[in-house]
Every structure is written in structure tokens, then in C-alpha cells.
Amino acid sequence: MKINDYCILFKKQGKNVHGFKTMDSHFRGNDSNECFPNMSFLCKQESRKRKSIVTMKYKKDTGYLYIKYKEVIKWAM
Amino acid sequence: MKEFNCRDSALSLTGSAGKLVAEVLHIAHINEIAACAYATRKMLPDVKTIIEMGGEDSKYIILQDNAIKDFSMNSVCAAGTGSFLDQQAERMRLTIEQFSELAAKNSRPARIAGRCSVFAKSDMIHLQQIATPVEDIVAGLCFAVARNFKGTIVKGRPSVPEVSFQGGVALNVGMVRAFKEVFGFDNLIVPERCALMGAIGAALKDMDSGNLYKNVAIEALHTYIGSLKRFEKGRPPLVQEGDEFYQRHINERSKVSLNPLHQVHAGDNGSSAKIKAYMGVDIGSISTNLAVIDEDGNLLARKYLMTASRPIEAVMTGLRQIGEEAGDDIQIMGVGTTGSGRYMIADLIGADIVKNEITAQAAGALSIDKSVDTIFEIGGQDSKYIAIEDGVIVDFEMNKACAAGTGSFLEEQAEKLNISIKEEFARFSLCSTSPCSLGERCTVFMENSLMANLQKGAERQDVLAGLAYSIVENYINRVVAGKRIGKNIFFQGGTAYNKAVVAAFEKFTGRRIIVPPNHDVTGAIGMALIVRDQQREAEEKVSAFKGFDIINRSIDITSFECKACSNLCEINRVSLQGEKGHLFYGGRCERYDIKRDNSHGIEDLFVFREELLRSYYKPDMAKGAGPVIGIPYIFLFHEYLPLWCTLLYELGFSVVLSPKTNRQVVNLGTETVLSESCFPVKVAHGHVRYLMQTGVNTVFLPSFINVNNGGDDFSKGSPCPYTQTIPYLAKAAFRELEVIRPIVDLTRGDGFLISEIQNSFSSYRLSSSKIKGALKKAKAAQEEFFVKLRQKGRSVVDSLTERTIVIVGRAYNSFDPGVNLQIPQKLATIRVASIPMDMLPTEGIDIKDRWRDMYWRSGQKIIRAARYIKSNPLLYPIYIGNFNCGPDSFILKFFREELGDKPFLHLEIDEHSADAGAITRCEAFLDSIENRRLNQPVTTVRSAKPSNSRRSLAETTVYIPLMSDHSYALAAALQHCGVSSEVLPKTDAEALSLGKKHLSGKECYPCVVTTGDVIKKATSNGFDAEKSVFFMPGGTGPCRFGQYNVLQRLILDKLGLQDVKIFSPVQDISFYKDLGTVGKDFFARTWQGIVAIELLIKCLHETRPHERQQGQAKEIYDRYLQLLYNTLIGNNGSIEGVLSQMRKDFEAIPKNSDKKPVIGVIGEIFVRSNSFSNENIIDKIESHGAKVWLAPMEEWIFYVNYIAFKHALIKRDYSAIMDSFVKRVYKKNIEMRYHRYFKGFLQTLHEPDTRDIAAKAAPYVDESFEGETILSIGKTIDLIEHGVAGIVNVMPFGCMPGTIVTALLRSISRDYGVPCISVPYDGTESNMTALQLDAFIEQAKSRA
């Protein structure tokens, strides 16, 4: 099994699926507000790009975050 | 055997004590349940159900296809057993044969409700006080034991005929009759050798299996006994050099017995007037005392007589003796009665005043020494603590229907050891050089400890001295419970005769104790003094006393059942020759109380409240055409009935509301409840069953998760776990019942509620607009109710002119007349008005300044009420709660803290509560506040505030309690981030004892353990409070865990350790924010450590049972634990490298290939992980030839993350949503990375995801009920699916989620056919637990 197979997926409404692979460097460091600023940053950036994201999930982790993300977009913008 | 000249003989061993003997003689021990079942199968093949009742334990065994299908035993809470019946027979001066005959003959057994033998005993004594005929009591006892058996042991299990009754108790004809009637058996087979079935079974089993142990060298036993040393750490001897104990106490005693009386010197010749005298009569459970004093308070006569179940006879004997000795010389000017039988005797002999025991005892003590400030009084069935300041009672406490820490406990134990309590007990125990540590708490637990010590070979005197310590510890921890102990301490009551107890008091408190003269009759003396003072002030000085001649009149006592209501009270009718009318006693209400005073004119606000509440239920509308839905009148329906009734009516349903709680409902509940829980849960079961009996098949039972609607100061307002899970518990108990159970979380708005209602009523196809409309009206009705209540409350409070009582507590407890013993009505008869707590104008009181972590709705309301009551000098609270109430064990302390110096009375009520005790306590409380008002109205404000230090962590040492080895991961991660940290040492008996000393004993066990650890460290030498922080996570409920840190803060403050900080991150979203302050990589390191250590634990559990050389696996485990710890601290070490090597090393251990059944261990996370708390349960299971699959720690952390995510979602906190998602990704990532090193090696590697767990648990409990229950239930099903042979639920005694799991496991066990057992722990070693576990593993093995 390769660890790199695990990635965060952002599913766009429609057929296209976007996501990025996780790396150790993503999980480095933390400050008083968030545990993993790098990773959080990437997620926020991704959610900004995909304006109508409905699902955000970790591969092999189906349906974990099933929320309507319209409001996320508002916040992210 | 030698006697019988049996050459060819063999020995088989079974029974609880047989185990040790078997070990010594190197014989295989046979579990007694298996032995009993085996004998029955062989000798009575038709029998399918066995009731076995021996001296100390009772069993219920169900057989099927030549195997044990199911079994149940009495747990740590021992219900009626044989030795209990034995003791009661002795107490009533009956031989056990007479007892048996009496019980069989009588046709009307008295109702003795008794789950616990101690309560049953209290009930019985109460019946004796009210002169119930002995034969009725005897029969009632048998029925109580049978009902106990049905309620606590059978717990709804089927009784398949034929049924056999075995064990020594089966010889009791009365018990056979009771079982037949209680269970409705046509036939109950009592085998000829019923008491020997276990032994016969053991022998048969050994014979059939060919394991014959011949020529056993019995002498080895003698050698063993000779070589034994006690295992428990001893306590200091009762008397040490320099104590001057003998000089102070033994001499004192001789002084007392020499001349306690004042010489009577008038009357005989008629030349001088008779001496004016006053008599006090104290009618107690064990002894009845009479004292006569003169005008100057000199004692003229005293009698100490045994009550022996016959209070009237005892008083008559006393009067006869006094009459003969001094009747001619004295003229009785006044009589006062006190003690539990005071009302009846007052009417019978003609008393001028009736007072409670507290006031009487204090008056007695003050007559001897005005400067006394503390009174310890230990009588037969009750014990009291009284605090006095300047001659005024300022505080008091009585044991709450629990007989631990009372004289009769000591007497019973002494009888068990064949020791005379009067002559030998003190002599033996004062000789002890190393008294045993027997633990404290309930009588039955102490009995277990005692037996365990004796079995281990402890010396008799050491056990006796240990008992003396136990009774003192119990008294100090449970009765005094942290209240002030002064400098001038009097020890009164009959137990003060026992010098061993006096010595134990001195050693335990570190203070000198004074045993006053006539300490056994101080109550009677006090009463005589009170009546003297009253009569002096009275205008009319004629006494109501009927004279000493009363002894010549005949007294007739009969009893009947009152049928005025469904309570069916047993009423006793006493008639005195020459007097018209009868005296009646024994009813719950005042129907037969001739002194009933209706002229008080006090408005009954409780009736007002209840009528207002129930006015929203309109039975006429119930006849409508809509489907019938039942509403049980339980829990939050006592507040929210208007809302739900209106809603259901508006939706077109016919509503059937269960009646007000009555005894019939209570009895229905106690018989159906599936696990030992609190009284309201039993009442709730009773209401549901009542509805079912009236033909209702569908009940409406919402799961109230959060009843704060966002408008309150607190975002969270959780009801207690039982309230939340009652729909699931009801479903588990009544399978055929349809339960409509919407989730009620008011913070989530109307939209959520409407969708929940729509889903739960899905079969009725309700449109959301219809629900919306109905909900609007329902909410208006609810608001109307609250407004009316508040208006009424406001007008009452504004017009207050005199002292008024506020009844504090939860509505379903304190305001339900079927539950609250009608305390408000009883207060009214003595002209004291009372107000329900929720009528107080408490809106606008903000308690967040001190109690921001209070997540229980009831706690918020109670503390608010406390703050209001404190501010109003006319209000005094009476707090009505229940035994075993989880939240109350914490809320009470906060309530006390909030009230400051204002006194309050706490009444604990359950199905066994007797009215008499409650009234005594109310009266004494009223006396004490009266005295207070007159003497010292000053209150002081305390300034201690709970503080959560979140600063300067880097400069301090963080101490982490050793819950499990995972604590090292946390410590290492802190070290890694540059924070000094230390894992506290493993809990020991000393820490446990410290914890118990500062807590009331009602908190959950993990709280006691961790508090003990914290105090031990904080009070150790070299501890720097400035630079230390204790780590104790918080929580958001509904379980009690989140309150540990708040309580520990209070305790540390009280100990003067305000500087000691507690770091308590909360488990939801803020958990990570709090931890994030520590420094970089803390979170990541901790998680890595937890996963690695979890894997290490799994390796140990899988390898150890198979290792060829014992100890090898543990050795490798210890080595790797250290290695992982070091690696986690360091910056460059590779954990993965360590893990890879770890697998290799564990794999290299030489192993046996035998197959062992796997036992799943689930339950409360602390007790299941902490080997001290669970008495090494894993080792025990392994020693029985099974291996363990322990639910992992990670499961909880994933769950916390899951909950944090859910909450973030509900709050729409997007930053938190993202954050918890990222963390989960990281956690999963690490978990998968580490797990891959163990693929193909560990069988138990698989752990389900939180969502899978929730989905698996869903048929039994919804995930909206947060906490460990859902994890335990989901994990249980997961384990069963992975083929475990049985499930052990490990829990702290009285743990709320644990109790819910116990009830739900019954359903799971039935559905999946896998045996499940719950093992509660409370820090007292119990033979019963070992035996249960033993039998359970046997059962699991036979299925594996």
C-alpha cells in the first residue's frame, strides 16, 4: 500500500472531481488557532477555487463530510 | 472420609472459598454455577431453571440443551440472601426454624420493599416501630427477598418450567411460598439435598471427566494457613504508646458505671412532697431508652432496653421498672418522646412534646458540657453528626437509609466471626498490631472485603480492628462528608461502648474523643431536659402523661390494608384498654393520622403547579377519533407536558397520559427495569408499563438532548443520560412497544424539530406545514404555562413575611407527590410553607461567572436557585434528590458552595424511603435554621473561583494521571514541545483512600481515583504549587466526566491549594485550541504516540496468552514502552523504525498454537484501561484461558473528533469544520501508516470507524446521545461480528452510560446470542466479581 494513494477530494457538482494528495509536509507545525495551518490553507484555497463544492472527503472515507458548501464559499471568499 | 473408612475416595472443590483451597492443594477448582447446573442436569433432568440461594450469594441459572444458556448473580449490591434472613431471625429472637414456620403460615405478608438487604432491614425496623405483628414482618421479609431476586437477579429473564429451588435457603418453607407467589410458579422443585447441589455437582463432574484427585494431602492446608501473611497493607494499631488511651477511656468507663444517678430521697413516708420529675423516652431501632430527671437536671433513673421488634413492649417494660424503682418518689411533670417510634409512643403513653433525635441528642450533650462543638452519634440503625456553635445546632447530617457506619453493621460482622460484640470485640481489636484495610462503603461491600481477608488468612483481631476502622471511615466519609469536625468532640450512642471504635475515631481524625457519661441514653436525657424547659414555660403545667399504671392496661395491635388509593398501605391499629378510638400508624398519607392539622391555611403551590401542568391534558379530547398515543408522566414531561400534549392534539392524536406516580406504578417499574439505575428510571419504566397494561401500544418518548433554546446563557442544557436515553431503554425493556422518539435539541431551531417529528411519525404521514402550525400553538401553550408559574411565584415571593422552604431539585423528583414523599404537604402540617424551585424569579441571574462549564440543565437551574435563595434571607432550601443520582453527586457540592454558609437539607429518595426518616430530618433542619436565625444571621462570601490556567505552561511541569500507558504519549509529546511533564505514579491504596476522604463516595470511581492521585501529589514533599499543573480534560456532558476538573478545583481550594493549577481542555472544538497553545507538533506527536502504544498493547494482548515462557511478552512490552517514550521525546528518532522492530520481536516469542476464545472488553474508558481500577481484569481473563480484544483508546479520540465536527457543522463554524476535517485526515493517515507494519501479524488490528460504530449502534441507541454508550454498543456489535465468544462491559459502579450499556447489552445478547456481562468496579475487591467472571468465561468457552 502506498501512503500517497490517500488524498483529499473535493467533488464538484457535476462529473469532475478535484483533489490533492496529502504529504507529510502538509501536516507540519501548528499555532494557537489551527492544528495544521499548511493543510488548512490548502483546503481553504481549494474550496475557494471550486465554488460549488458539495463534498469534501478523504479517500477511503466515504461521505464523511457531506454538507452543502454554498456557505463555505461565502466564507472563503 | 477416614471415619467412613473410604479407601477409594477423591476430592472435588467448588464454591467461593474453594478456590484458594484448590490452589493450595493443587486441585482444579470447579466453578459453582457450573457445578450446580451439572448436578441438576444429572439428578433433575426436567429442570430448565435453577434458583440458587446460599448464604451470601444468589444465582439464577437457565439451562438449555445440556448447557448453561444464561445465568445471573447478585452483584456488588447484594440483594436478599440467606445470611440476611438469618440475621433478621436473630434480631427478632426467632430461630430460623420458627422463622420459616411463621412465614409459611401467615397469609398477609407486610410490604417490605428492599432492593438492598440494608434497605430491606431499615424497612423492617420501620414496621417494627409502628407495631406490625412479627409474623407479618417475617412473611414480608421472605417476599421482599423473593421480589429482590426477581428484580435484581432475574431482571426479566424467562422462567422456563420446571423450576428448581436450591441452596440452603430452599429449606425455608416461607421462602418457597414467597417464590411461588411472586413468580406465579405452580410447582417449585426443592431437591432433597438442596443445600449440597453444588458439592454434588462438583463431585459428579470430576467423576465423569475422570479428573479424580485421590489421596490429597489435606495437611498442606494447615501448613499454608500457618505460613499466611496478610496481603492488604495494614493500618496503624488502634492504640499506640503515648496515646494515653487507656487512662482516658477505660478509667472513664468505670467512673460512669459507678454513679450515674442522683439519689432519690423523698416520698416514701409521705412527709415530704414527691420530687418533680421529667421523663424522656427515646424509641430507637435497636434500643429503647428512658431517662428521668429532676428540676435541676439530675438523672434520677435510666433504662436501656432492647427494642427487639416490639417497641411498645420495650417502653412498657421501662415504665414498669422505673415505676417500681421510683414511681412512689416522683411526680412526672412532663414527658417527651424522640426516636423513630416517637409519634406512636407519644400518643400511647401521653407525651407533652415530640422532638426529633437530633435536637434531643444535642440537648443531652449540652447538659454535660456547654462547650461541645461536635457530636458523633452512632446508634443501631442510624448515625448522626451534629455541629454545634455556642450551644446552638448549626449543622447536622444523618445516614441516609444506608446502614453502613452504624452499630448493627458491626454487630452483624462480629456475629459472623463468632465474637461477642460486648465483651470480646474491643478486647481483641485493641490487641491488633496491624489492622486490616477493609475499605468503606456499603455493609455488603465490607462483608466482601472481610471475607476476602479472612480467606487470605488474616488474623481475627486484625480483621476486627479493621472493622472498627471501616465503620469510622464510613461514618466520616459518608455521614460527616467533609463537614467541620471541631475540637470538643462527643461520641454518643450505644456504639460508644465499643472502645475499639473510640480508638479508631481518635486515630482516624487525629483528635481526642470524649465519651460522655450515660452516652447510651443521651437522647432520652436530652428529651427530658427539653420537656422540662417547655413545661416550665407553659402556663398549664399539667402533663399529658397517662401514668405508670398504663402498664396494667392491655394493648391490642392489629393491621389492615388501606384501600383508599392504589398505594395500599399497611395500617396498624393499636387500641389501649379503657380508651376510646384507636391509634393508627403506617400510612404514607395522613389519612389515619389523628393529629392531622388542616387548619394551617397554607396554599399548596405544588398542587397548583401540578393542576396547572395537567390542565393541558384533556381526557375528554382523548376520546377523539385519532390514533391513540400514550404519554408516560415522567422526566421532562413534568415541565414540558403543555407543549407535547398540545402538539399531539393539534396533530389529531388521542392522548392517554399515565396517572400520577403511585406505589403500583413504582412496583411495576422496579420489576421491569433491566439494570440497576436510579429511582426516576424505575418510575419511568413503571409508567410505560402502566400505559401498556391499559392497552396503549404506542408511546411518545422524545430523547431530550438539549433543552436550552439559545436564549439562555448556556448553549448547552443537557438532561442527564438516563433522561436522554429513556426511549432506548424503554424499547429494550418492552420489545413489543412502539416508541415514537424524536430527538429534541432546541438549539437547532424549529426546522430540525419539525423534521424530527415528521420522521418519527412517518407512518402517520404528517405534512411539515401541519406540524409547523401545531408546533406554534404548542409553544404558545408551553410559554403560557411558564408565564403563569412565574407570575404565581413572583406574587408568592413578594408577599413573603416568614421563613419559607424552597423545594430544590428536578421537577420529576421534587414536585411529583408520588416520589417526593409529600414533603411539602407534611411541612404544611407543621405550618411551614414551601415553594417549588421553578416558581422562583430566577430569570436574569447569571451564573456563568463561576459555573461556565455546567452543561446539565438541571444543574444550571439549581445553581441559579441557590444564588437566589442565598440573596433572600427568608428562604431556605430542601434539596430532594435520589440515591445513585449521577449529576447530583457533583451538583450538590456546587450547590453547597453557592449557598455559602446558608444551611440546606438534602433528602435522598428511592422506592425504599420511609416517611419517618424524612420527617425527622425536616424537623431537625427546621430546628437548626430557627436556632441559626436567632443566633447568627451573618453570612460570608467565599471568593474561590475555578480557574483554568492556560498560560505559562512552558515554565511549569504538567502532571498527567496514569489512566493507561497512553498517558506516556501525552507526556512525551509535551516534553517534545519543551514542556516539562510527568506521568503520575500508578494509583495505590493510599491515593484511593485520599480520594475517598475528600469526596462523598457518590461520584464515579474514576473521579475518586484521579482526585486521590492529584491530592497525593499536591500534598507530597517538595511539590512546587507555583510551577505545577495537573492535566484533567474537561467535557461537555452529559456524563459526569466533564465535571471532574470543576470538583477537583473546589477540593484543592478547600485544602488551601489555590495555587495548584488544573489544565482542563474541553473535548469539543475548543479541545484542540486549548492544546494548540502548548507548542508546535504537540498534537501530531501525541497522536503518533497513542497509535504506537495502542499497537504495543495489542501485541501484548495477542501474544501473552500464547507465550511458552511466562513473562516474556510483558518484558518486551515494557522495553518497547520505554523505547517509544524516548523516541517520542526525541526529534530525530523514527517511530516507524521502532514499530517495525517491535513486530519482529513479538513475533519471535515462542508460542503455543492452542486456540483460545477471544473475549471483547468494552466499557468506560478509564476503568477499562486502568489496571488498578479494573483489578487487572485482562490478566484475570487471560488466566482463565481466554484472550482479550480491548476496545482501543483511539476510538474515543476519533469519536471526540467526530463530535467536534458535528458541533462545528451545527454552529456553522467553518474554520472548525475545516480544522476537524484536516485533523481527521492526519489521524487516519498516521493510523494507516503504522498499522501496515502489523498486517498479517495482529488479528485484532481492525478497528471500525466512528461512523461505522454509530451505524452499528443505531438500532439500539441514536448517535444524538453523546458519550461512551454509543461507542460501547457499536463496538460490541463490531466485536461480535468479528467472532468474539463473549463481551465484558467494564464500568465504574453507578456509571450512568455504563448502566445504560448494561440494559442495552441485554437486547444485544438476545439478538446475537452472545453472552454479555457487566462488571462494575468501585475500589472494593469483591469475591462476587471474580466468581461471576469465572462463570462467564466458562459460558463463553462452551460457546466458542
Side-chain angles (χ1 to χ4, degrees), chain B residues 31-33 58-59 71-76 152-153 155 157 1184 1317-1320 1326-1339:
Chain B
N31 178 276
E32 57 201 80
I33 294 177
S58 310
K59 307 173 197 85
F71 75 92
S72 172
M73 292 176 67
N74 55 332
S75 64
V76 277
T152 55
I153 299 169
K155 281 187 198 147
R157 289 179 173 82
H1184 282 101
I1317 188 179
S1318 290
V1319 191
S1326 158
N1327 282 341
M1328 212 56 76
T1329 314
L1331 184 63
Q1332 257 180 318
L1333 205 60
D1334 201 14
F1336 167 75
I1337 294 169
E1338 286 294 320
Q1339 190 189 359

Side-chain angles (χ1 to χ4, degrees), chain B residues 51 53 142-143 145-147 149-150 165 169 174-185 188:
Chain B
I51 293 172
M53 202 177 257
C142 292
F143 273 73
V145 170
R147 271 197 308 273
F149 191 88
K150 191 176 181 184
F165 183 19
V169 181
M175 276 313 304
V176 177
R177 174 196 164 202
F179 268 118
K180 276 189 179 172
E181 287 191 24
V182 168
F183 283 83
F185 296 141
L188 190 61

Side-chain angles (χ1 to χ4, degrees), chain B residues 191-213:
Chain B
E192 195 186 350
R193 305 267 177 221
C194 59
L196 300 176
M197 290 300 272
I200 295 171
L204 285 174
K205 205 170 180 199
D206 273 350
M207 279 162 70
D208 289 352
S209 63
N211 290 334
L212 292 178
Y213 299 94

Side-chain angles (χ1 to χ4, degrees), chain B residues 936-969:
Chain B
Q936 46 134 29
V938 190
T939 55
T940 52
V941 180
R942 293 180 202 178
S943 59
K945 281 187 181 177
S947 63
N948 269 12
S949 171
R950 296 184 186 185
R951 290 177 292 116
S952 66
L953 270 177
E955 302 146 27
T956 54
T957 303
V958 179
Y959 292 100
I960 302 160
L962 178 61
M963 175 168 105
S964 62
D965 287 337
H966 298 93
S967 300
Y968 290 105

